[in-house]
Amino acid sequence: GEEMRYMRTRKGFTLIELLVVIAIIAILAAILFPVFARAREKARQTSCLSNAKQITLAVMQYTQDYDECLPFYQNEPNGITNRMWYQVIYPYIMNEQVLRCPSSPSITVGYGWNIDCIGYGSSSGVRLPPVSLATLKYPSSTLIFADKSSGPAGYYRPSRWIANPSSYGYLYDTYLPMATIHNGGANVGFADGHAKWMDGEYVLMTDDLWNPAVQ
């Protein structure tokens, strides 16, 4: 009796009520999804920073075995196989995953070498000597590598393309850091062995990071 009358008189949701609920869910999703995305990127940033720290420690171990000389990107002449900086330090890492930035679209090495200051080698037939730690006046502020997306394994300092953008415009795509890959910044390693996240604009515009004064 009483229950049957309740079931007969009960009404479902109206179209307006359903639309209101859907609108509320959409608003909440629009608010929360960017927060979740930033949180995921923050986790990748932390993982990348751990990689950067391990790479800098490997570089420091290399210098202890090679008279305090830093490894460098060896561009060999006459068809001889080039030796990339990450190949030189690999025996001190023994883990390819460390060389891959979790946020990089590239599945290969996710970091680029400061070839202007630390060394590029030579393609002219004359081998350039590696850079010694003793020649770096400010090792704690001398950048040796930073995040990259893809392309070459090295970077030119910002003044190379700022001074003459018509000649160095292509460097924007291939020889500059992925400076905003991690929440507007990039992870970088320094010649004294430490690594940290830095604001992307500062990395791209501060030439002293890439080509500091030497003794």
Side-chain angles (χ1 to χ4, degrees):
E2 194 68 29
E3 182 179 352
M4 293 296 295
R5 283 196 300 273
Y6 170 76
M7 293 180 64
R8 285 195 298 269
T9 59
R10 183 181 178 185
K11 296 181 179 179
F13 290 109
T14 66
L15 178 60
I16 297 298
E17 290 171 333
L18 288 174
L19 291 175
V20 169
V21 171
I22 292 172
I24 292 173
I25 293 174
I27 292 171
L28 290 175
I31 294 173
L32 294 177
F33 283 174
V35 175
F36 294 150
R38 285 194 295 271
R40 287 194 297 270
E41 179 50 46
K42 187 66 177 179
R44 290 192 289 264
Q45 175 184 324
T46 301
S47 178
C48 175
L49 182 59
S50 175
N51 290 350
K53 181 61 178 178
Q54 292 182 68
I55 294 171
T56 55
L57 290 177
V59 171
M60 293 299 100
Q61 292 175 33
Y62 176 96
T63 62
Q64 294 305 307
D65 289 342
Y66 290 91
D67 300 324
E68 293 198 339
C69 288
L70 289 161
F72 65 111
Y73 174 54
Q74 300 174 27
N75 191 9
E76 302 284 359
N78 303 322
I80 301 175
T81 302
N82 294 343
R83 295 195 68 198
M84 306 296 184
W85 63 270
Y86 52 84
Q87 293 172 326
V88 174
I89 66 170
Y90 184 78
Y92 302 91
I93 300 176
M94 300 300 292
N95 184 349
E96 291 184 357
Q97 195 64 35
V98 172
L99 296 170
R100 297 173 183 171
C101 171
S103 297
S104 173
S106 173
I107 62 173
T108 57
V109 176
Y111 307 94
W113 197 249
N114 180 2
I115 58 179
D116 262 344
C117 176
I118 306 304
Y120 190 89
S122 176
S123 58
S124 63
V126 178
R127 285 289 300 277
L128 300 179
V131 173
S132 170
L133 287 176
T135 64
L136 298 178
K137 190 174 183 180
Y138 306 108
S140 63
S141 58
T142 301
L143 184 152
I144 56 176
F145 69 88
D147 275 306
K148 80 180 188 74
S149 56
S150 61
Y155 293 134
Y156 292 138
R157 64 186 185 272
S159 62
R160 288 279 293 270
W161 49 268
I162 292 175
N164 194 346
S166 62
S167 296
Y168 295 104
Y170 69 94
L171 301 181
Y172 278 102
D173 297 324
T174 58
Y175 283 99
L176 287 179
M178 195 73 169
T180 58
I181 192 170
H182 297 302
N183 293 309
N187 288 317
V188 299
F190 292 86
D192 69 339
H194 84 280
K196 66 178 181 179
W197 177 92
M198 298 189 73
D199 177 77
E201 183 176 356
Y202 186 79
V203 171
L204 286 176
M205 297 301 176
T206 308
D207 199 54
D208 285 347
L209 282 174
W210 301 82
N211 192 36
V214 295
Q215 291 181 356

